[in-house]
Amino acid sequence: MTVDGAPAAPPRRARVARPVLDALLSAGAAPPVTAEPVDTLAIWGDRRTLERLPPYRIEQAGDAATLAAHRELASPAIHTGYEGSGGDDARTDDSRADGPWTDDSRADEPPADDPWTDESREGDPRTVVLIARAVGAGGDGAVLGGIRLGPLWPGPDLGAWYCDRLAVSARARHEFPGVAAALVRAAAARAEDCGVLRLEAVVRPELERFFGRLGWSTAGPAALARGPGVLMRWPIDRIAALVASCKAPLGAVLAGLRPGGPGFVGDDGAPLPGSDIVAACDAIMPTMVERDPHWAGWCGALVSINDLAAMGATPIGLLDAVAGTTASHVARVLGGLRAAADAYGVQILGGHSQFGVRAALAVTALGRAAHPVPAGGGLPGHAVSLTVDLGGGWRPGYTGRQWDSAASRRTAELQAMVRMPGRHRPSAAKDVSMAGIAGTLGMLAEASGCAAEVDVAAVPRPAGVTMGDWLTCFPGYGMITADRADRPVPPTGPAASARCGILLPGAGVTLRWPDGVRTPVLAGHITGLGHA
């Protein structure tokens, strides 16, 4: 996910030596190259962009001296300042109505009831301090300000972070407009890059307006160690943006079709009327078929078999439609499809191949289920469980997006996971798709006419994987089920299973955190297909 508006991670550009740059701009002969780096924006003739670059940069504090400089600035005994306008211009002493600063104040301080001390946070290796440093012509490398951020609680990082110790020097307030705003933007961008789904800061009431102008929302009152405060929260729309890109258009596009038939609208597969046959069809992203044909073929089998599994169906076989620019490319796609089919013990019944065209792949899976498990069978009060294979790791080239566990599993292990919904027969089931865990749960809830709440701390997750990545990735094998609380999911081969949510009246998906805070991540219907 990309986050704009933050100078913390500027785009990486090539560098040239200063003498070469000067010669090019003056149309003179290039002198010998030296090692001093210069931004190539100037080579392109974009002097104005270079002139508009701020005379400071945001970077992570990486040494004891820089950390000490930030701590000194953040001390309540040090006078600090900020731009109440949001950083577009420097504030003057005459406009202090927007500025909360006094000689004994700083942007924020620990909440009154915070059991985690400053010393504990400083010692946490996950804590990040971002600082602004003077650079450019006349820049002396001085630390102009800083901000601290890190996990909200000790223990496992659940994707909830705090910001505090926002401090800007008096010099920066007068000579370097926009430093405080840049630091806050950089902190938000850094948190999202770290897979954070909840970011908040407790600030003095005078800072509420400043943070609001930067896009933060007011979450309510809070208590600081030395007086009242305001809880501000940064809006992170990672889950909503993913769902909007891949699932939100379905309702309008499929209007009038009612795919799956009554009781199975929007389901993973479609029961064939008058039979026990269930059919499921999936297409693989053309870019993936082009760049990674063998893996695309494997995934074509995996996702379609998982669709059958979600409906409690036993796979019979696969049909494929594959296209590519060359016969060799098509062969690599079919090689991956065949490898996956062999791993799952499923036949490839036939298909269609086309050459000399852009890469494409669609796979249809056929299975049998006398009584298919619907996605829309959930009811308010039903417990939500996630059964997921935590083995393996990120697929090379798809870090944070595709978790590959299936390719290393034996046939018996794969089949044990595929058979779980058919053996257990929950009230509702849906396999995790491109919409990720949170988005897929929203689809199950929508089909069931419910809302869903996720207990973040209870979600099974591989070690070292951020919550933001895990709730939005394709996890290989992931099955979301809803059922009565007295019917836990049985052991499912190598997969881990945990009860991690509940269906409620209403619509949308909310995350529930260990401190009882609930943050909505999906509002209303996910696909627009409505109740199954």
Side-chain angles (χ1 to χ4, degrees), residues 297-402:
W298 180 284
C299 287
L302 181 152
V303 297
S304 56
I305 292 173
N306 281 349
D307 282 346
L308 292 180
M311 301 196 71
T314 301
I316 299 172
L318 306 174
L319 297 167
D320 65 85
V322 59
T325 54
T326 65
S328 174
H329 192 93
V330 170
R332 291 200 295 273
V333 176
L334 290 175
L337 181 70
R338 183 166 52 250
D342 290 344
Y344 280 92
V346 178
Q347 290 185 331
I348 298 178
L349 303 175
H352 176 78
S353 301
Q354 193 169 3
F355 311 102
V357 295
R358 297 186 67 177
L361 173 64
V363 177
T364 297
L366 302 176
R368 281 198 168 93
H371 302 286
V373 177
L379 294 171
H382 275 178
V384 170
S385 296
L386 173 65
T387 303
V388 62
D389 189 355
L390 304 180
W394 295 118
R395 174 73 180 177
Y398 301 91
T399 298
R401 293 177 293 158
Q402 292 188 23

Side-chain angles (χ1 to χ4, degrees), residues 166 190 200 229 366 391 491:
L166 171 62
R190 180 59 176 268
E200 55 193 37
L366 302 176

Side-chain angles (χ1 to χ4, degrees), residues 20 46 55 81 192 200 204 233 258 307 311 354 362 370 374 458 464 475:
V20 176
D46 196 356
E192 293 201 49
E200 55 193 37
R204 292 182 175 276
R233 190 166 289 140
R258 303 292 289 172
D307 282 346
M311 301 196 71
Q354 193 169 3

Side-chain angles (χ1 to χ4, degrees), residues 6-50:
R12 187 170 298 190
R13 295 187 285 262
R15 300 281 179 166
V16 298
R18 170 64 70 179
V20 176
L21 173 67
D22 292 339
L24 288 170
L25 293 179
S26 62
V33 174
T34 65
E36 183 182 357
V38 176
D39 200 310
T40 53
L41 278 173
I43 291 182
W44 303 333
D46 196 356
R47 285 182 181 270
R48 291 184 178 180
T49 297
L50 285 175

